[in-house]
Amino acid sequence: MATSSSSSKCGVRYIGNCGLKVSNLCLGAMTFGSTEGAMFHLPGQSDEAASHAILDKFVEMGGNFIDTADIYSAGRSESIVGSWLQKQAREQIVIATKVRFPMGAGPNDVGLSRKHILSAVEESLKRLNTSYIDLYQTHAWDDGTPIEETLSTLTDLVRQGKVRYLGLSNVTGWQLQKIIDLTKYKHYEPFVSLQVQYNLMCRETEWELGEVCKREGLGILPWSPLKTGWLTGKVTRSGAPEGSRVEHQGKDDTAKLPFLRDYAKEEQTWQILDVLKAVAEESGKSIPQVALKWLLHQETVSSVVIGAKKMEQLVDNMGAGDDSWKLTADQLKRLGDVSDIMPLYPYSIMDAVQVQRRRNGLLVL
């Protein structure tokens, strides 16, 4: 099976409706740094030297967009990116990070309050060794803080020049629309992107979040595009590779995320993998490349957040960003059909009654 060569270059796109251009593949830095003492405990993390080598190769292959978060490896991910950034031409790199989760034991060391955001952004700037953050994202909704407090604080950061653009992550449809509407009504700084789980095994994102982003001009940045390893082709009915995240979460009964082993019980999982394998063979590409390319064909997607613990993983994944090849209409239909899920109420009814009322692909009431 063919894979990408190291000479492959990924393309560039605008993020949503804003003027910022980024590589169509974004390097996620969640795998950088030891997770000892961190909120998320993950196997096979990269040390600083290995992380820098991956970052160097990513840029060499056309990447300019790097995503991290203060919570990743308890701040060590940001520090690793920051030490690497010192050796780069800063204006050529787009750095994204996030705020929301606990960074200490105090009652104000978590959330999206003005106090926590203002403290967190200063710490992120120090770790990243930069005077500004290109894309500052709220990592999840915070039910404990009035949304106006969060939005006004983020607006101040943009106007102070500490942040260039604003993004969201991990919100529901009503939360996303409420944020957008308040931003317009109160003249807060607008949001340009939504980072959310989206892949061939997670299509629920399309039901509301995708529709809101399409209508409001936000670019989607899919995380876990390979479903934590499920869509690499390495997981079989007999099990997952030793040391992989699928295998790790299959053993971890304390995991807060849905047990990935549960997907093995679903016949649709194996049907998706069968079609992925067939399309990969037809295209002369790897299974991960096809899974990533499917996302890049979705109109709301601006850049896909990939992660790599090994250099060969990165090089292969980067081949998906090469704009010189596309999936055919038939291949896209087969992948879409096999991964489709039956919508729940009210989406099922809304979709059915709007058949004759669609305008430019959007549902019209």
Side-chain angles (χ1 to χ4, degrees):
M1 181 180 298
T3 59
S4 68
S5 69
S6 60
S7 61
S8 298
K9 295 281 188 178
C10 58
V12 294
R13 298 180 175 185
Y14 289 106
I15 292 186
N17 282 347
C18 82
L20 180 65
K21 278 192 170 183
V22 296
S23 49
N24 59 13
L25 295 178
C26 171
L27 182 60
M30 192 174 183
T31 57
F32 294 175
S34 167
T35 58
E36 181 179 355
M39 180 177 177
F40 302 113
H41 302 281
L42 303 169
Q45 294 292 104
S46 302
D47 61 18
E48 184 170 35
S51 299
H52 283 194
I54 287 172
L55 285 161
D56 287 340
K57 176 59 73 172
F58 175 70
V59 172
E60 178 188 322
M61 298 184 71
N64 77 335
F65 190 19
I66 298 159
D67 176 74
T68 184
D70 56 6
I71 192 65
Y72 294 167
S73 302
R76 288 182 281 273
S77 174
E78 284 187 331
S79 295
I80 287 173
V81 172
S83 61
W84 174 83
L85 192 60
Q86 284 187 306
K87 301 176 288 184
Q88 312 303 312
R90 175 67 183 91
E91 285 301 319
Q92 300 305 311
I93 306 297
V94 178
I95 298 293
T97 192
K98 310 179 197 74
V99 58
R100 159 63 170 84
F101 289 111
M103 289 301 289
N108 292 307
D109 292 332
V110 62
L112 296 176
S113 67
R114 175 173 289 270
K115 180 174 177 61
H116 181 59
I117 290 175
L118 293 180
S119 173
V121 74
E122 295 298 337
E123 293 303 311
S124 287
L125 288 169
K126 289 177 186 176
R127 287 189 291 264
L128 289 166
N129 280 305
T130 183
S131 61
Y132 67 94
I133 294 164
D134 294 288
L135 179 64
Y136 201 43
Q137 304 159 107
T138 58
H139 211 156
W141 177 267
D142 176 19
D143 208 38
T145 303
I147 190 60
E148 292 89 345
E149 179 180 337
T150 300
L151 298 179
S152 66
T153 304
L154 293 173
T155 295
D156 289 344
L157 292 180
V158 173
R159 293 174 182 174
Q160 292 166 9
K162 294 180 179 180
V163 170
R164 297 291 193 256
Y165 297 91
L166 300 175
L168 299 158
S169 185
N170 301 317
V171 292
T172 64
W174 75 262
Q175 291 166 353
L176 177 59
Q177 191 65 63
K178 181 178 180 65
I179 289 169
I180 292 170
D181 290 345
L182 273 173
T183 295
K184 293 178 180 179
Y185 178 67
K186 299 263 190 166
H187 302 291
Y188 295 133
E189 194 67 27
F191 289 82
V192 303
S193 63
L194 173 68
Q195 190 170 154
V196 64
Q197 183 178 173
Y198 188 22
N199 54 61
L200 282 165
M201 291 172 62
C202 181
R203 298 282 302 277
E204 295 91 340
T205 301
E206 298 169 353
W207 292 354
E208 283 205 16
L209 294 171
E211 286 292 326
V212 174
C213 287
K214 190 185 301 182
R215 291 170 181 272
E216 301 291 352
L218 276 72
I220 288 182
L221 309 175
W223 60 260
S224 195
L226 299 178
K227 195 60 177 177
T228 322
W230 272 102
L231 298 174
T232 63
K234 296 178 182 178
V235 182
T236 66
R237 290 180 185 268
S238 60
E242 185 176 355
S244 69
R245 292 192 175 177
V246 174
E247 188 247 4
H248 169 71
Q249 289 204 352
K251 297 187 301 185
D252 186 1
D253 290 331
T254 65
K256 296 180 181 179
L257 299 175
F259 294 146
L260 296 186
R261 60 174 174 237
D262 291 344
Y263 294 110
K265 302 174 185 176
E266 301 294 331
E267 187 59 31
Q268 186 181 30
T269 297
W270 308 110
Q271 293 170 353
I272 292 171
L273 292 176
D274 286 344
V275 175
L276 264 178
K277 182 179 179 181
V279 172
E281 290 175 349
E282 294 165 9
S283 306
K285 303 296 180 181
S286 71
I287 290 174
Q289 287 173 353
V290 171
L292 295 171
K293 182 65 81 173
W294 178 83
L295 282 168
L296 288 171
H297 274 279
Q298 309 311 307
E299 63 175 304
T300 52
V301 171
S302 293
S303 185
V304 177
V305 183
I306 61 173
K309 295 183 289 184
K310 298 178 181 178
M311 191 65 73
E312 54 267 31
Q313 290 176 324
L314 174 69
V315 172
D316 181 70
N317 287 351
M318 291 296 285
D322 186 347
D323 286 335
S324 68
W325 71 279
K326 306 286 185 185
L327 296 175
T328 67
D330 175 69
Q331 290 170 338
L332 287 169
K333 184 178 185 305
R334 285 153 56 198
L335 288 167
D337 288 348
V338 75
S339 62
D340 200 11
I341 50 179
M342 183 176 294
L344 303 173
Y345 175 84
Y347 311 107
S348 54
I349 290 180
M350 292 302 294
D351 191 46
V353 302
Q354 300 306 325
V355 173
Q356 303 301 322
R357 298 290 296 165
R358 292 184 185 274
R359 179 181 296 158
N360 299 324
L362 296 176
L363 291 179
V364 179
L365 300 179

